[in-house]
Each structure stands twice: as structure tokens, then as C-alpha cells.
Amino acid sequence: MPNNDFPVFGSTNNSLLKKHLTKEIYYSLNDLKTSSGFTLDQAIKSGVVNDGSNVGIYAGDLESYKIFAPIFDKIIADYHNFSTSDSHTSDLTPPESGWANPDPEGKYIISTRIRVGRNLADMPLGTAISKEQRDEIESKVSAILKGLTGELAGDYYPLAGMSEEDSTRLIEDHFLFKAGDKYLEAAGLNRDWPSGRGIFHNHDKTFLVLINEEDQLRIISMQNGGDIFQVFSRLSKAVAILSDAFSFLYNDHLGFITSCPTNLGTAMRASVHIKLPNLAKNMEIFEKITDEYFLQIRGIHGEHSESEEGIFDISNKRRLGISEVDLLQGLYDGVLALINMDKEAV
Ligand code: ADP
Ligand code: IOM
């Protein structure tokens, strides 16, 4: 319910929400609701109560991006360098030329992971969804996943009623949801926990789908080493199968629609866990290279975590207005530049 009070942000809050939310924008939008009943106060709660937010705003549905456009458009422009007249084109076809492994000797890249987010076209996003709708998604998506064959065949593990043994194993594999994540909690994404949530993974643990986390589907391909092309080819195959089975929320301006505006467009984050011992001692040069290639540095336990033992998570920062294939080319070029710089710094 709108409370008519302009939010008070903490002094350490550096979110894009705090940067762009003016009183004028707030008061022009705070009594509006989308058809799923989603309000501005719900959209911004995560960024207001969590000073560590990078962005701090979530959509409840596609309509949120239109009704609350005065704030979303500013944040989208800032994060993705993308204007209201730009359009998005997706390209998930692995290029015939492929990409060589940027670290053929396996000295730097520990693992590669590419994920995309997807949400169903006829549903509100997870922030505004009802328990019945969430449970329905789980049952439809898990049914398709259980029917996958070949390399993608595997098992589905619902969070509700999960055995101690499965839970321990999934935690050890770093596959389990971040239970109690405060950012998702404040965004309304943990309601009715753990009902409707679960994890599918193939037998080799190189293909995973998280159901009803920040997005309804997080489709993930990952493996040890730096073979970006193989990881992308597997992802592309899985996404094609799921796109035949479901209609996903998409439009020509914003691409694939996701609950967090950082993921709009490709909804893809392609990352390598990489050891750069020499660059780690000179973050100024490190960040100069990552900025040049539009890459983001995260810690090894994901967003909002720190680097450990000189290992970094390097991924594409932009996701909108540029295709999946072009983003991967940028990651490849940037990772190669980082490795070369680390070698020179010896
Ligand atoms: P997102 O799925 O939005 O990219 P996070 O940054 O929170 O989310 O990462 C989710 C999980 O994926 C974390 O546990 C992180 O350690 C793991 N992860 C990310 N990139 C890699 C990678 N290249 N290799 C192995 N694990 C990874
Ligand atoms: N996507 C999301 N988890 N993140 C950008 C949250 C935030 O820090 O604002």
C-alpha cells in the first residue's frame, strides 16, 4: 500500500535506485498499481532496506516497466547504456567459428558458467506471483525437465521436503538456493518459502535449472575449465528445448523480461572463476581492463560476495541491447586481455 513517504536511504547506500529516485518521480508514481496489484513501494523495498543493493529495484510484471517507467528507464539507461528508443535482438546460435579456450593450459580459469533467466509469458514475475501460480510453474517446468534426454537428462529436487542428504550434497556443490537472501526477501521473492522452488541438474552436473528463484527459470550451463564455446553450446541446446515447451516473456525493446532490470535483454550472465595473482595486487589496472571490456568483478560466492584466495568471478556487465553471442565475444576478449596482463605483470 502506498505510504506517501519518500524513502530514507542509508548513508552507505550506493544503489542506482538512490541515485535516480527523486521526490518528483516518487510522488508521481507511488499511488499507481499494475494489474497484478504491484506498487512502487514494493518495487523499491529491496533497495531501500538493503544498503548493500547495487541496483535496488524489481519489477512485478511487464507492466511495471511501463507504469513505473520514469524510474526504471533511468536505471536501465544508467546500467545498460540503453535508451528508450533502442531495441534488443537475441542471438543464441553458437557461431560456427566458435571460441578457442582462452586458457588452454588451464592455469588461470577454474570454471565457466553461463546462465539465462526466463519468465513465463502469461504470469506475473516472482515478486508479484501467487502461491498457486508459483506451484503451477514448478509442476509444468519440472515435468518438461524430467523428460530431457542425452546429455541434459537428470533429476529434479524440490526444496519442499528435501532430504538432509540431498540438501547437504547440493550445498556442497554450491547449487542450492541462497535461502533467506535478504535482497530477494525484501523484493517479495521468498514468499511461501520453500513451496514451488527446486533444482534440476543433469547427471554430469553441467546443466542446471533453478525454478522460482529471482526469475522463474534460471537455466545454467557450467563446467570446469575455460571452454566457453562448449558451455554456451550446451546452454543454447537446452534453451531451445525449453523455448519450444514454453512461451517466455519478451518484447522487442527490453528483450527477455526479468524481475531485476540488470537482467533485461539477454538475461545472460556468463562468468569465469579465474585466478589472477598478479593483477589482484593492482586493482587499478585490473578494473581499467574490466571497464574497457564491460566486465564486472564479483566474489566467488556470487553477487555481494568477496573474492577469496585471489579468485575472481568475471562476467559480462551489460545484458541489454547486445546479443548473447556478442556478449560472449566481449567476455572472451576481456578474459584474454586479463590473462595476458597478468602474465606481463610477473
Ligand atoms: P547469478 O546466477 O545471478 O549469476 P550469483 O552471482 O549469485 O548469481 O552466482 C550464483 C552462484 O553461481 C554462486 O554460488 C557462484 O559461486 C556460482 N558461480 C558463478 N559463476 C561461476 C563460475 N564461473 N564457476 C563456478 N561457479 C560459479
Ligand atoms: N539482480 C539482483 N540480485 N541485484 C542486482 C540486486 C541488487 O544488488 O540490487
Side-chain angles (χ1 to χ4, degrees), residues 152-312:
L152 301 179
D155 297 299
Y156 179 63
Y157 302 89
L159 256 56
M162 184 178 278
S163 71
E164 222 17 71
E165 194 191 336
D166 283 341
S167 160
T168 310
R169 187 180 57 76
L170 290 165
I171 289 171
E172 280 168 4
D173 286 337
H174 300 281
F175 290 168
L176 209 57
F177 282 55
K178 285 192 235 161
D181 181 276
K182 62 182 181 176
Y183 301 90
L184 301 188
E185 177 69 35
L189 283 156
N190 287 349
R191 288 169 302 128
D192 313 306
W193 183 272
S195 178
R197 280 87 177 180
I199 297 166
F200 173 90
H201 71 76
N202 69 348
H203 302 310
D204 290 343
K205 301 183 186 170
T206 53
F207 167 63
L208 282 93
V209 179
L210 302 187
I211 301 184
N212 289 318
E213 199 223 24
E214 186 173 300
D215 291 303
Q216 290 157 7
L217 282 86
R218 282 288 174 100
I219 308 165
I220 303 163
S221 172
M222 62 194 288
Q223 67 190 46
N224 289 337
D227 193 338
I228 299 173
F229 186 69
Q230 195 171 41
V231 175
F232 184 54
S233 301
R234 184 184 307 112
L235 180 84
S236 164
K237 187 163 105 187
V239 171
I241 295 171
L242 290 164
S243 305
D244 281 345
F246 300 103
S247 173
F248 293 128
L249 209 48
Y250 183 90
N251 77 22
D252 291 339
H253 174 50
L254 295 177
F256 288 101
I257 305 302
T258 52
S259 62
C260 175
T262 59
N263 287 317
L264 289 165
T266 58
M268 184 180 90
R269 193 172 83 86
S271 61
V272 291
H273 274 186
I274 186 166
K275 257 190 212 168
L276 295 162
N278 294 318
L279 271 185
K281 291 179 210 143
N282 192 338
M283 288 312 285
E284 207 178 310
I285 296 184
F286 196 160
E287 283 171 16
K288 196 167 164 276
I289 303 173
T290 51
D291 285 352
E292 192 182 323
Y293 289 90
F294 303 102
L295 301 176
Q296 190 176 57
I297 308 175
R298 290 186 178 184
I300 52 163
H301 300 293
E303 194 181 22
H304 309 117
S305 73
E306 296 301 321
S307 155
E308 280 173 23
E309 294 165 25
I311 304 171
F312 299 86

Side-chain angles (χ1 to χ4, degrees), residues 31-106:
D31 58 351
L32 303 180
K33 262 188 189 173
T34 69
S35 42
S36 327
F38 200 68
T39 64
L40 180 70
D41 285 328
Q42 282 174 284
I44 66 175
K45 187 172 171 198
S46 194
V48 174
V49 303
N50 292 307
D51 286 345
S53 293
N54 297 316
V55 177
I57 188 167
Y58 288 84
D61 38 36
L62 173 58
E63 223 184 312
S64 302
Y65 287 108
K66 295 182 189 143
I67 294 196
F68 307 124
I71 180 63
F72 273 114
D73 286 349
K74 282 194 159 32
I75 288 175
I76 290 168
D78 191 333
Y79 187 89
H80 297 280
N81 190 21
F82 185 82
S83 87
T84 50
S85 57
D86 288 338
S87 58
H88 180 81
T89 309
S90 177
D91 180 8
L92 273 151
T93 309
E96 277 188 17
S97 52
W99 293 284
N101 186 335
D103 176 31
E105 290 168 19

Side-chain angles (χ1 to χ4, degrees), residues 99-104 108-109 228 272 274 276 279 289 293 295 314 328-344:
W99 293 284
N101 186 335
D103 176 31
Y108 294 87
I109 303 179
I228 299 173
V272 291
I274 186 166
L276 295 162
L279 271 185
I289 303 173
Y293 289 90
L295 301 176
I314 303 295
L328 284 167
Q329 183 65 49
L331 178 74
Y332 173 83
D333 294 340
V335 166
L336 208 56
L338 287 168
I339 292 176
N340 287 337
M341 187 55 89
D342 198 82
K343 283 180 185 164
E344 276 175 30

